[in-house]
Amino acid sequence: MKKYTDIHDIKNINETIKEAIEIKKAPFNYKNLGTNKTLVMLFFNASLRTRLSTEKAAKNLGMDVICLQINNSWNLEFDDGTIMNLNTSEHIKEAAKVIAQYADIIAVRAFPTLSDKDKDNAEIIIESFSKYAKIPVVNLESSTAHPLQALADAITINEFSAKAKPKVVLSWAPHPKALPQSVANSFVTMMQELPVDLTITHPEGYELNTDITKNSTVSYNQEEALKDADFVYVKNWSSYSNYGKILSQDNNWMITQKKLNNAKFMHCLPVRRNVVVEDAVLDSENSIVINQANNRTYAAQIVLKKILENLNG
Ligand code: AN0
Ligand code: CP
């Protein structure tokens, strides 16, 4: 694997899920693979799971890890030809090339603006790192995607699935802040690659990018969508058509124990209790959110392993 900015960078997803489950059984088996290799992680935004699980994964493979919270660094310019006499101190052309002197792999978290749709869709930040650093880039959640989360979610569904083709429902939930579509986008893209029966449910106006949802089933009726679900993945996102806007905070969309029935509850975390989902669900046996968080390590580890194998030739 040359990079992991997109789910489709994985050649065989079902095979990769199985490999990740194998690595989970013996996480230190490839301790020599990352010797004398450095992962630099750059965070433009907050993180708990991604920051810790990716570092853990890299260390399991014997890598060195350097982490930089980019707001403690210089403000970067991404536009070409700008007269940089305002807020930005350093251009991405220099910054990316400099980081590549210290890193063998760069991992970047950069959330969308949620105000400039074209800029967000162009994935300016992650694409600029790829373009100028010329070393493998790993997406730690970008403007439109969170592919490591989706891989961890796929591993978790595989582990908990009792059926050959489980019914998986992605349900929108209310949230007081405008959030990216990234997690939902990557989850949908991943589910489309797996043997699952996917239904997406959200209020009108919350349609995801149709280039992503393609022919997936979409329903505005949550109750109907949740019927006979095996896995219910809950996530808020802001409107894509009315870009970045909060159109509804209708708490009838919150997930309750009654709505969940016997399905497994999934969420990428962090989650707002009693806004997105009621306490009873998170505190029940049906919640597998901690298993998902644990699998973030093995998702990152299988991805880094494949990139290192490619680097080592
Ligand atoms: C972010 C989001 O929705 O994309 C990160 C989730 C992993 N969530 C929040 O900012 C609450
Ligand atoms: N799920 C996830 O990516 O969590 P963090 O934002 O804490 O990294």
Side-chain angles (χ1 to χ4, degrees):
M1 194 189 285
K2 289 202 175 73
K3 62 174 180 87
Y4 189 55
T5 54
D6 190 284
I7 282 159
H8 296 112
D9 290 323
I10 301 175
K11 277 202 198 91
N12 185 330
I13 290 177
N14 284 294
E15 198 54 42
T16 303
I17 292 168
K18 287 200 196 106
E19 287 170 22
I21 292 172
E22 284 309 305
I23 279 212
K24 189 174 176 177
K25 291 180 195 153
F28 307 115
N29 268 6
Y30 302 93
K31 195 87 196 180
N32 294 329
L33 199 61
T35 307
N36 299 335
K37 292 276 187 290
T38 301
L39 171 71
V40 169
M41 293 202 280
L42 302 177
F43 285 88
F44 287 83
N45 316 92
S47 169
L48 189 154
R49 280 140 290 270
T50 306
R51 165 76 176 74
L52 298 180
S53 63
T54 311
E55 176 160 347
K56 184 172 155 85
K59 287 185 170 165
N60 285 353
L61 294 165
M63 295 188 83
D64 289 321
V65 180
I66 305 173
C67 190
L68 182 65
Q69 197 65 36
I70 205 99
N71 35 327
N72 292 336
S73 176
W74 305 109
N75 222 354
L76 296 181
E77 178 62 53
F78 288 87
D79 287 342
D80 233 353
T82 318
I83 299 169
M84 286 168 53
N85 60 358
L86 294 171
N87 302 329
T88 53
S89 309
E90 177 159 25
H91 201 278
I92 183 66
K93 288 185 184 180
E94 281 75 47
K97 281 180 197 158
V98 168
I99 293 163
Q101 309 305 306
Y102 316 137
D104 298 280
I105 302 174
I106 301 186
V108 182
R109 165 165 285 197
F111 288 174
T113 62
L114 291 180
S115 55
D116 189 333
K117 191 174 187 171
D118 291 341
K119 197 168 171 180
D120 290 346
N121 278 335
E123 290 284 12
I124 303 283
I125 297 184
I126 209 136
E127 287 302 318
S128 301
F129 277 103
S130 302
K131 184 173 171 189
Y132 298 116
K134 295 190 165 63
I135 64 172
V137 171
V138 174
N139 183 338
L140 300 177
E141 188 173 346
S142 64
S143 302
T144 68
H146 195 356
L148 279 174
Q149 181 67 49
L151 183 54
D153 299 335
I155 296 166
T156 312
I157 289 176
N158 188 295
E159 287 177 331
F160 279 89
S161 185
K163 294 182 185 165
K165 197 171 184 191
K167 178 173 176 183
V168 176
V169 179
L170 169 65
S171 178
W172 179 92
H175 198 282
K177 281 175 68 183
L179 297 188
Q181 295 96 28
S182 313
V183 170
N185 286 345
S186 289
F187 185 73
V188 167
T189 305
M190 181 59 86
M191 290 305 114
Q192 287 168 343
E193 297 290 334
L194 299 182
V196 303
D197 169 11
L198 175 69
T199 300
I200 305 165
T201 182
H202 54 70
E204 269 188 86
Y206 279 99
E207 294 75 14
L208 293 164
N209 183 347
T210 51
D211 292 342
I212 288 169
T213 53
K214 296 183 180 132
N215 295 326
S216 292
T217 308
V218 178
S219 167
Y220 298 135
N221 185 333
Q222 190 191 42
E223 191 182 342
E224 214 171 82
L226 289 177
K227 218 168 152 271
D228 301 323
D230 296 299
F231 295 90
V232 179
Y233 198 103
V234 179
K235 183 73 186 83
N236 169 269
W237 60 87
S238 56
S239 174
Y240 182 71
S241 51
N242 199 338
Y243 194 64
K245 295 286 181 302
I246 297 176
L247 310 178
S248 159
Q249 300 223 37
D250 183 357
N251 66 10
N252 286 318
W253 278 80
M254 179 174 83
I255 292 292
T256 61
Q257 190 61 52
K258 195 159 165 257
K259 286 186 194 174
L260 189 66
N261 212 350
N262 283 324
K264 296 289 183 207
F265 172 79
M266 299 181 76
H267 191 285
C268 62
L269 305 181
V271 70
R272 290 189 183 230
R273 282 177 170 250
N274 305 311
V275 175
V276 170
V277 53
E278 68 175 5
D279 280 335
V281 173
L282 281 166
D283 296 334
S284 81
E285 291 288 308
N286 283 333
S287 170
I288 55 173
V289 297
I290 306 303
N291 307 80
Q292 285 173 264
N294 184 29
N295 283 332
R296 289 295 307 274
T297 300
Y298 308 103
Q301 200 169 331
I302 194 66
V303 163
L304 291 172
K305 176 175 177 279
K306 284 175 185 290
I307 294 174
L308 285 170
E309 283 166 345
N310 187 63
L311 281 178
N312 291 345

